[in-house]
Structures are given as structure tokens and as C-alpha cells.
Amino acid sequence: MSRTRSVAGSGQGIHRRSVLAATGAVALSGGVGYALRPSDSQAATAGESTTAVAASSRRAPAAPLAPYTKGTTVASVAAPRGSSGFRRLGDGPGWQRVVRSDLAAPKSGRAGRRTALAAFVQLTDLHIIDAQHPLRLEYLRSADIHAWRPHEALTVQGAIALVERINALRGAPVTGAPLHFAMTTGDNTDNNAKSELDWFLKIMSGGRITPNSGDPRQYEGVQNSGLKQYWQPDAAVRDSDKQAGFPHLDGFLKAAIREVRSPGLNLPWYSTVGNHDTLPMGCYASHGDSYLTELAVGGKKLMNVTAAEAQQLQAQIKKARDPQGVRYHDFLKSHSRSMRSVTPDERRAPFTPAEYLQAHLDPAHRGLGPAGHGYSSANLDAGTQYYAFRISDDVIGISLDTTDSGGHYEGSIGTAQLKWLDKTLRDNKDSYAVIFSHHTSKTMTNLRSDPARPGERRHNGQEVLALLGSHPRVLAWVNGHIHKNVITPHSTSGGRSFWEISTASHVDFPQLARVIELADNKDGTISLFTTLVESSAPHRTDFSDLSQTGLAALYRELSLNAPGASTTLGGDPKDRNTELVLSKG
């Protein structure tokens, strides 16, 4: 029971029913954290029934804590120093909270009236990368400087630092409510590799991780290749990144593959699937292609192609000319003689959707739960990756699967899932709803047939918006994919409205997560508060510090200096720390 604790300043401990739920002692239909799941005999399909299953969580106190800013971007944000060369990070001023009245007018005195409905953390696009994987597309950098990032060997250390920051938060910054859970909204892995999935699950639930594959004694990838188009941190090579000011760091690669430890999140967490979790490279429907699987686990890796070849391959990906990966297969075969030798490793094999579910259901990865992190045995039986769960007495969460196993990085959903979404909202019409997905409404444009469900129609983001707009108690659609902070108001002709909250990735600067709070203002309006948080890593590192913490700090500074990196991905002030006002449905 050590995880259940009083919240400083609230004057109340955790409610007994939540304590029982956290220990799995009860399974009731109401209360904080009780997951809505398919029954054991029914899968997540249209017409199914749902039952309540206990999941650990915490109840918001009746009297909220005073608003606080410590550990959030309201207090301070890492800020670049200098305008040229390798820029360092330092402490910068915080980002103010912006009140948005696009959908409803805020009423005076609401801060003294409001009560918390729920509070949670969103992480998205962690892109945990096996940087030595043979099927990575680093060589596209010869045509596009954005195609490879110099900090990609440090995604595990960077993500652990984000977990540490979330664990240090004492509650929700505005309402003071305990944080009920964390949700990852997809692209948890980068290349659909089993090695990456294992590292991701240990980061989230706790464990020791050796972020290395292939040769257990040394790094074997583009960063010790001697190729000048990649940063060669340990070598004397005058590569293009060093010419731009990147440092020479003796021992960097040895440190990058050294064992690290994640404490795991100190609250329950849920998972949503993204295109990089479903498709190799996030875009190819190449499951079952024996040649690509053999390359993934084998001893050959392509590291360099001409700019013209890279341009052609990149155009095929961006314009979805090769979603099945047929041309990519032929491209790799044509370059078989120019591939370099690496150590084979079965852990680099692609994982199937069923294996993704099984890994989440593995008790070794449970952490603080819930079991399956939203997914259930019913999902395995039906081959689905969407579910609903109860966030609090008054709020449900719905996690969608917007990926298409037919290929391409943009999204959509099938008819069965759309009907299930509509039914779930109708069956819970007395609860507010928060929708989670990987893709945004504007990036759900991939309407090609899903080979897993041949003949089923696919539906775009506009159709999902229309459905959500027909349910008056939908409050928010929370997603990622675009690697930018963007908050969009949506309203219907019937006067119903909700907010779409898109959050930037944790692989690109400034690498943020988002706390989202829901509060009833007791005046006919609801406020959604969004607060961005950085990782626990120092804003600036000593280059000689190659400890786990030092590497996490270096991850941030390298991402700032990645050629072509934008320093504006934090978004406009109206898309960062906000109060989003809605009329009650």
C-alpha cells in the first residue's frame, strides 16, 4: 500500500474505494480508474458489451491544492544560448498560460467554484530507437538533412528522464488533483522492432535496459562508420556535423550502449498504437516479407546511397507510391553488395500486432498497471487495438487505432471501429469522454484497404470529427503524430464543441510531455488545462559527463543542434500552456 498516499495540502487521503481498486480487491461499475473492457467472449467490435474491470488509479481530493508551477514550463523552459555554432541550453523564462475562449466565454470567479474531474499526463512519439538496426533509413540524409538525428542513440536515456520528471510532479498544476494515469499516444517505437518494444515497456514500467543490439561489446552503426554525412563522436573524422560545431566526445558510443535503469512511472499508464509501432519504418506493410525480416535480424546494413537514390526513395515514401514495400525490397536487393557487415540479432525482428498486444499483457511489464495497459485478451482474440476505460466517476477514455496495416504513415479507421466508437459513446452518454489516438484529424487521409480486414471501408478524420461532434459530452481528442503542439477548436452546427489537443514528440526539440486537467467550473462551463513539462535532465551538460543523467542532458542539446531542427516545435503560446473553455454538453 506504499503507493497510496495523502496529497500534501489537500487535507485528505486517498479514497478507500480507489485503494481497493489499486490492489485489485474490487471490480465495480463506477469510481476512479475502472477500465471499460470487452467481455472475455466479446472483442472490441461493433455491438459488444463492456464490463468494468479494476485498474489502479487515484481519486481527486474534494479540496484541490493551490496551483503550482514547479517542474513545469510555466516556471522555466530550456532556452538556446547563442545564434550560431553548437548552441548550448540554459534556463529561460516560463511560458504563460493562455485562456482560449474560441468555443465558450470564460466566466469570472470560476477559479473559486471549480471542481476537478480528472487529470492525466500525455506522452507521445517517444520513438525509442534501436540505432543500429539494419533496416533504418539513415542514408536518406544524403538528400534530406532531417532524415537522421545525431541524438538518436540516446532515446532511451532521454525517455527515462521524462519518466523521472512525471514521477516528480506532485499533482496537476492548476487543480492540484492527483494524476490519474499517463497515456502514450503512439510511435512508442521507431522501427517496429522487438528490441525497441522491449526497451519502451521497461522505460514505462521500470527495469534495467541495455540500449544495444548486435555486438554486445561495441556499437555497430552509422556513428562509427567513418562516413562524413553522420556525426562521428569518437573519431577524428571531420564530419559535416563537426564542421557545424558538434563536439568530439571520447567514449560517447560506449556510454550510449551501457546499461541504464528506469524507475518506471509511479502511476498507471495506458498505451495507444502509432504507425511506427505497426509498420517497419512507420510506412511499409512489409510483414511477411521474408527478405526484409532476414535483413532486420541479419548481418548486413546499408549505410550510404547517392543523393539521387535517396531522393527517389524518399519521394516514394512521402507520396505513398510503395505502401507494400515492393520497390523498397528491390532497392535493398540492388544495394546488397554495398552493405556493411554487422552482428546478426534476432531481437531486431519486426513484431506483429498480436505480439505488440502480448508484450503489453506480459506480467513482467505491468508496472503499476493496469494489466495490459488498456489492452485485453479480447483484443488478442479479435485482432483489435482499441479499447475504452473509465478515468473517473464522470469521465471515460477511449483509445483508437488509427493505423492501417496496408501501409503509409497517415491514418484512418475502419467501419467496425467507427461503429464501436459511436456505440461506446452512446452507452456512456452520462459520462464525459476524452478520445486518444496517434493521428490527428488532418492526418487521417489514408483510405487504402486494410489487408487485415479486406473489403472494409476506411474513414478519414473528417468523418471521425463529425461522429465526435454528434455526442455532446466529448471534451477532447488527444493525439500526436505531427511532432508539433497544436490545439484546435471544433464545433458543430448543433452547438456542440470539443478541443483537439495535438502534442509534440519527445524525439525532437524541445521534447515535452503534457499534463491535461478537466474541471467543472460550476457555471455552465468546463475548463481543460494543458501544461507542458520537460524531462528531468539538466538544461545544460558538461560534455565530460557521460553518466545516465549526463547523456539525457546531452540528448536535449544534441536535439537542439540537429541540422534543420526547429526551435519552434513548442508551438505558439496558444498551443502550449492553456485554459480551454467549453460549454457543458
Side-chain angles (χ1 to χ4, degrees):
M1 304 294 283
S2 61
R3 294 284 185 180
T4 59
R5 55 180 175 81
S6 295
V7 180
S10 70
Q12 282 197 331
I14 301 301
H15 192 282
R16 180 177 180 275
R17 188 168 63 176
S18 288
V19 175
L20 292 174
T23 62
V26 294
L28 305 175
S29 60
V32 171
Y34 293 96
L36 303 174
R37 301 236 195 176
S39 66
D40 288 339
S41 61
Q42 297 284 335
T45 55
E48 71 172 20
S49 63
T50 57
T51 57
V53 178
S56 58
S57 190
R58 295 178 278 188
R59 176 179 294 279
L65 297 167
Y68 77 96
T69 63
K70 184 178 180 181
T72 76
T73 59
V74 177
S76 178
V77 182
R81 297 285 186 263
S83 58
S84 62
F86 189 91
R87 292 171 296 167
R88 308 306 302 274
L89 284 172
D91 296 340
W95 292 331
Q96 293 185 338
R97 192 172 304 281
V98 175
V99 179
R100 291 189 58 173
S101 55
D102 311 51
L103 298 176
K107 298 180 181 180
S108 61
R110 64 192 182 283
R113 293 188 300 268
R114 69 171 56 108
T115 59
L117 297 172
F120 58 90
V121 181
Q122 180 204 7
L123 304 87
T124 194
D125 296 84
L126 289 172
H127 285 278
I128 301 303
I129 296 174
D130 182 343
Q132 302 170 76
H133 197 286
L135 286 186
R136 301 205 64 235
L137 299 168
E138 298 115 329
Y139 44 77
L140 293 182
R141 201 186 201 208
S142 61
D144 181 358
I145 201 66
H146 301 88
W148 176 79
R149 309 172 184 91
H151 56 286
E152 288 183 349
L154 301 179
T155 55
V156 169
Q157 293 87 344
I160 292 173
L162 186 62
V163 166
E164 291 172 342
R165 167 62 67 203
I166 294 167
N167 287 349
L169 296 174
R170 65 183 188 128
V174 177
T175 63
L179 298 171
H180 288 76
F181 65 96
M183 170 65 83
T184 71
T185 50
D187 283 4
N188 307 306
T189 64
D190 185 70
N191 200 21
N192 180 238
K194 289 181 179 178
S195 53
E196 296 170 343
L197 180 57
D198 178 65
W199 301 345
F200 160 70
L201 291 167
K202 288 177 179 175
I203 288 166
M204 298 294 287
S205 289
R208 295 188 177 277
I209 305 157
T210 301
N212 183 34
S213 63
D215 191 333
R217 301 162 298 175
Q218 63 180 344
Y219 170 95
E220 298 176 312
V222 297
Q223 287 192 273
N224 68 349
S225 64
L227 295 168
K228 291 185 176 181
Q229 73 186 60
Y230 308 108
W231 179 44
Q232 307 292 303
D234 296 89
V237 177
R238 186 67 174 164
D239 57 71
S240 59
D241 293 299
K242 285 179 185 162
Q243 292 176 38
F246 270 65
H248 175 95
L249 297 178
D250 285 325
F252 173 85
L253 293 175
K254 183 178 180 180
I257 62 173
R258 190 171 53 218
E259 182 185 83
V260 293
R261 180 186 177 279
S262 173
L265 285 167
N266 65 1
L267 67 162
W269 66 273
Y270 292 82
S271 185
T272 294
V273 67
N275 55 294
H276 279 262
D277 304 313
T278 301
L279 309 170
M281 282 69 72
C283 58
Y284 289 126
S286 58
H287 284 298
D289 187 316
S290 60
Y291 177 70
L292 293 181
T293 299
E294 288 170 9
L295 275 183
V297 303
K300 294 292 183 179
K301 178 176 172 64
L302 183 61
M303 298 189 187
N304 192 32
V305 301
T306 67
E309 291 172 314
Q311 261 181 341
Q312 184 178 30
L313 179 60
Q314 188 176 54
Q316 291 174 4
I317 293 171
K318 286 187 174 182
K319 298 180 180 180
R321 293 173 180 165
D322 185 33
Q324 298 294 319
V326 176
R327 295 179 186 177
Y328 176 60
H329 176 136
D330 294 340
F331 169 82
L332 289 174
K333 276 200 165 182
S334 71
H335 287 82
S336 58
R337 291 186 177 181
S338 58
M339 292 182 181
R340 299 194 180 193
S341 295
V342 296
T343 303
D345 195 332
E346 291 291 332
R347 294 174 300 168
R348 293 168 171 160
F351 55 82
T352 64
E355 289 170 328
Y356 184 78
L357 294 172
Q358 289 165 342
H360 281 75
L361 288 161
D362 187 338
H365 299 140
R366 179 163 183 167
L368 285 193
H373 303 291
Y375 301 117
S376 70
S377 58
N379 290 115
L380 266 175
D381 293 341
T384 59
Q385 291 181 293
Y386 48 89
Y387 59 90
F389 63 106
R390 183 155 292 282
I391 294 173
S392 68
D393 288 337
D394 302 310
V395 186
I396 64 166
I398 298 174
S399 173
L400 302 179
D401 173 11
T402 56
T403 67
D404 186 338
S405 60
H408 191 37
Y409 53 83
E410 303 292 43
S412 58
I413 64 174
T415 297
Q417 186 176 180
L418 191 73
K419 289 181 177 178
W420 170 85
L421 173 61
D422 184 41
K423 183 178 188 302
T424 301
L425 289 169
R426 284 189 283 108
D427 288 348
N428 295 277
K429 63 181 182 299
D430 294 328
S431 294
Y432 294 112
V434 178
I435 313 302
F436 300 94
S437 73
H438 178 63
H439 292 90
T440 67
S441 61
K442 290 184 178 179
T443 57
M444 290 180 63
T445 58
N446 177 20
L447 301 182
R448 61 178 37 81
S449 175
D450 183 348
R453 293 168 181 78
E456 183 184 48
R457 186 188 162 203
R458 303 292 293 184
H459 300 268
N460 64 22
Q462 292 304 307
E463 291 174 276
V464 175
L465 285 174
L467 188 151
L468 296 180
S470 69
H471 291 276
R473 291 173 74 84
V474 171
L475 301 180
W477 181 0
V478 179
N479 49 44
H481 187 61
I482 58 175
H483 291 213
K484 296 178 182 178
N485 288 316
V486 178
I487 299 178
T488 307
H490 293 292
S491 59
T492 68
S493 57
R496 295 165 177 166
S497 59
F498 61 93
W499 292 92
E500 182 173 358
I501 302 170
S502 307
T503 301
S505 78
H506 199 253
V507 73
D508 294 313
F509 186 82
Q511 302 164 324
L512 306 169
R514 200 189 292 264
V515 179
I516 299 175
E517 305 170 63
L518 316 177
D520 186 342
N521 293 322
K522 302 297 182 180
D523 58 10
T525 67
I526 286 176
S527 287
L528 284 66
F529 297 97
T530 71
T531 308
L532 294 165
V533 295
E534 301 178 295
S535 81
S536 66
H539 286 171
R540 179 168 175 164
T541 181
D542 180 339
F543 287 145
S544 65
D545 181 5
L546 297 181
S547 66
Q548 179 175 331
T549 298
L551 291 174
L554 187 58
Y555 178 65
R556 303 188 69 196
E557 285 201 331
L558 291 174
S559 71
L560 166 69
N561 288 278
S566 172
T567 59
T568 63
L569 294 179
D572 293 334
K574 64 182 178 61
D575 299 313
R576 298 187 308 215
N577 299 329
T578 67
E579 179 184 357
L580 312 173
V581 187
L582 279 172
S583 295
K584 291 179 71 171

